[in-house]
């Protein structure tokens, strides 16, 4: 289908010789079912965006998937100007946090969190400010108190694992698009000391822990 990627940022292209680059592949996969010919016939799979073999985004609307492609490319291209992370901002009980277990918008874990009262921002790629806060398009500036990771104790699904010490800022920085400078490392290290980083295979265990033992 021609024209699907016509709105990509103009600044896309080959990196300069000074830039550090890493090869990767994004794929936009769309079912070939012609809905105009037979509106009653449903696609076998939703239109989806892939990073390598991992699904990043899927939606019934092709336009919505294309918008996410453009948003992702824009975030990557601009990451040298504004520190951008692929954490997804979340909100629960009037608190803000960041979700980093997976990148897929329709994952089972996310859906279960939503049923438990967690709201996901419409902006999945927040920007870090020099004050140690994050900015997202729909919620503006937020101060995350919680980070949800995927450092699970698989033998005990209901056990909540806390990530702390030097491992927390390291894990945090792995979610950054592009290269990280010394000042940003110091900022993230300082910011991490104020965050509670949790993980468990069972989303209900995570939320129960946060609501009963949260110490910010």
């Amino acid at each position: 289908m021609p024209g699907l990627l016509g709105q990509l940022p103009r600044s896309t292209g080959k990196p300069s010789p000074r830039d550090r680059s890493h090869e990767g592949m994004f794929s936009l996969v769309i079912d070939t079912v012609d809905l105009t010919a037979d509106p009653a016939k449903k696609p076998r799979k939703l239109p989806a965006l892939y990073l390598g073999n991992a699904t990043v985004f899927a939606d019934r609307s092709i336009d919505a998937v294309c918008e996410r492609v453009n948003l992702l490319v824009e975030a990557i291209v601009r990451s040298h100007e504004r520190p951008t992370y692929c954490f997804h901002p979340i909100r629960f009980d009037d608190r803000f946090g960041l979700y980093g277990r997976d990148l897929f918008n329709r994952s089972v874990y996310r859906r279960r969190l939503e049923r438990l009262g967690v709201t996901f921002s419409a902006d999945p790629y927040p920007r870090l400010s020099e004050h140690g806060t994050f900015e997202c398009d729909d919620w503006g500036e937020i101060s995350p108190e919680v980070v949800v990771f995927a450092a699970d104790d698989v033998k005990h699904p209901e056990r909540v694992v806390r990530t702390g010490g030097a491992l927390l800022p390291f894990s945090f920085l792995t979610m950054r698009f592009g290269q990280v400078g010394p000042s940003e490392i110091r900022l993230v290290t300082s910011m991490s000391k104020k965050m509670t980083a949790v993980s468990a295979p069972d989303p209900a265990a995570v939320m129960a822990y946060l609501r009963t033992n949260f110490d910010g």
Side-chain angles (χ1 to χ4, degrees):
M1 299 179 67
L4 287 179
L5 303 181
Q7 301 301 316
L8 288 177
R10 293 184 179 181
S11 54
T12 55
K14 293 184 179 180
S16 71
R18 299 189 306 272
D19 292 331
R20 181 179 299 177
S21 61
H22 302 276
E23 290 189 5
M25 182 178 69
F26 292 105
S27 303
L28 182 59
V29 180
I30 299 173
D31 203 333
T32 56
V33 170
D34 186 353
L35 298 180
T36 59
D38 186 0
K41 192 172 184 180
K42 296 182 179 180
R44 293 184 295 273
K45 291 184 178 180
L46 295 178
L49 168 65
Y50 288 81
L51 172 56
N53 294 324
T55 313
V56 175
F57 184 84
D59 194 273
R60 296 184 182 279
S61 167
I62 294 177
D63 289 340
V65 179
C66 290
E67 288 177 8
R68 180 55 61 92
V69 174
N70 297 333
L71 182 64
L72 177 56
V73 173
E74 176 77 18
I76 294 173
V77 169
R78 304 296 184 191
S79 62
H80 68 285
E81 301 173 358
R82 49 190 187 189
T84 306
Y85 287 73
C86 53
F87 281 113
H88 205 141
I90 57 174
R91 181 168 55 193
F92 68 98
D93 301 346
D94 297 322
R95 290 184 170 126
F96 290 103
L98 299 169
Y99 178 84
R101 283 193 64 94
D102 58 69
L103 303 178
F104 184 35
N105 67 305
R106 300 173 70 90
S107 72
V108 174
Y109 205 100
R110 290 179 185 232
R111 290 186 173 186
R112 291 186 62 188
L113 284 179
E114 288 175 333
R115 290 197 292 269
L116 292 166
V118 175
T119 301
F120 285 79
S121 167
D123 182 358
Y125 308 122
R127 282 75 61 195
L128 177 66
S129 77
E130 60 183 9
H131 308 295
T133 59
F134 279 87
E135 179 186 353
C136 51
D137 291 341
D138 51 344
W139 295 345
E141 189 174 349
I142 64 172
S143 297
E145 301 174 81
V146 173
V147 185
V148 180
F149 278 131
D152 301 334
D153 182 348
V154 294
K155 294 183 179 180
H156 303 90
E158 296 184 357
R159 177 176 178 262
V160 175
V161 176
R162 290 279 301 265
T163 301
L167 183 59
L168 179 51
F170 173 80
S171 300
F172 208 94
L173 289 168
T174 61
M175 306 296 284
R176 163 74 149 91
F177 289 126
Q179 191 170 353
V180 183
S183 61
E184 188 176 344
I185 293 175
R186 289 193 294 269
L187 178 59
V188 168
T189 300
S190 175
M191 182 178 59
S192 298
K193 297 177 181 178
K194 305 174 185 178
M195 290 186 173
T196 298
V198 293
S199 177
D202 183 358
V206 167
M207 297 311 300
Y209 178 89
L210 292 176
R211 284 173 168 143
T212 58
N213 301 290
F214 186 83
D215 54 13

